[in-house]
């Protein structure tokens, strides 16, 4: 059976993602489907770490708007959430191996 064009596009995206990893600026970790219930299901958020202590900003994004948090409690809550997500995901090396396998299987 011939492969679909979408599969080749996905393979290219996976390989590009893997190529970006390697320095100290990008860490890629995969959250597998079997880790069904995790704290990141509420939606995307971004942590903007600032060079000045106490100036970090959290952006919580949704379809209608974005909410920005700067208070210490809010920042610490989302940093703890991020740490929990990282702990639930595959580590960086197993994540790359998993992506390599997915790209090969496409």
């Amino acid at each position: 059976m011939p492969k679909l064009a979408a599969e080749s596009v996905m393979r290219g995206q996976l390989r590009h993602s893997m190529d970006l990893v390697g320095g100290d600026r990008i860490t890629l970790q995969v959250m597998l489907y079997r880790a069904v219930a995790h704290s990141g299901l509420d939606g995307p958020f971004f942590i903007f770490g600032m060079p000045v202590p106490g100036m970090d900003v959290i952006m919580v994004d949704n379809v209608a708007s974005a909410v920005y948090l700067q208070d210490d409690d809010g920042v610490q809550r989302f940093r703890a959430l991020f740490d929990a997500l990282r702990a639930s995901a595959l580590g960086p090396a197993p994540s790359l191996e998993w992506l390599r396998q997915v790209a090969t299987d496409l």
Side-chain angles (χ1 to χ4, degrees):
M1 174 176 268
K3 297 283 185 176
L4 299 175
E7 291 174 337
S8 66
V9 170
M10 187 181 298
R11 187 179 308 106
Q13 291 171 334
L14 290 171
R15 289 188 175 142
H16 178 69
S17 295
M18 290 183 284
D19 289 344
L20 292 174
V21 177
D24 60 348
R25 294 184 51 120
I26 298 175
T27 301
L28 190 146
Q29 288 183 260
V30 172
M31 179 72 74
L32 295 176
Y33 287 117
R34 68 175 172 249
V36 193
H38 59 76
S39 50
L41 293 174
D42 289 333
F45 64 92
F46 303 87
I47 301 173
F48 299 100
M50 302 297 170
V52 178
M55 296 299 294
D56 292 352
V57 177
I58 305 296
M59 182 180 86
V60 182
D61 199 15
N62 64 54
V63 174
S65 67
V67 176
Y68 295 88
L69 305 171
Q70 289 181 281
D71 62 283
D72 288 338
D73 291 340
V75 169
Q76 291 309 312
R77 186 172 65 247
F78 278 91
R79 285 199 177 279
L81 172 58
F82 184 66
D83 290 342
L85 289 169
R86 288 180 26 201
S88 296
L90 292 176
S95 291
L96 284 177
E97 184 54 40
W98 187 86
L99 290 176
R100 277 189 201 95
Q101 189 60 52
V102 170
T104 299
D105 292 347
L106 285 175

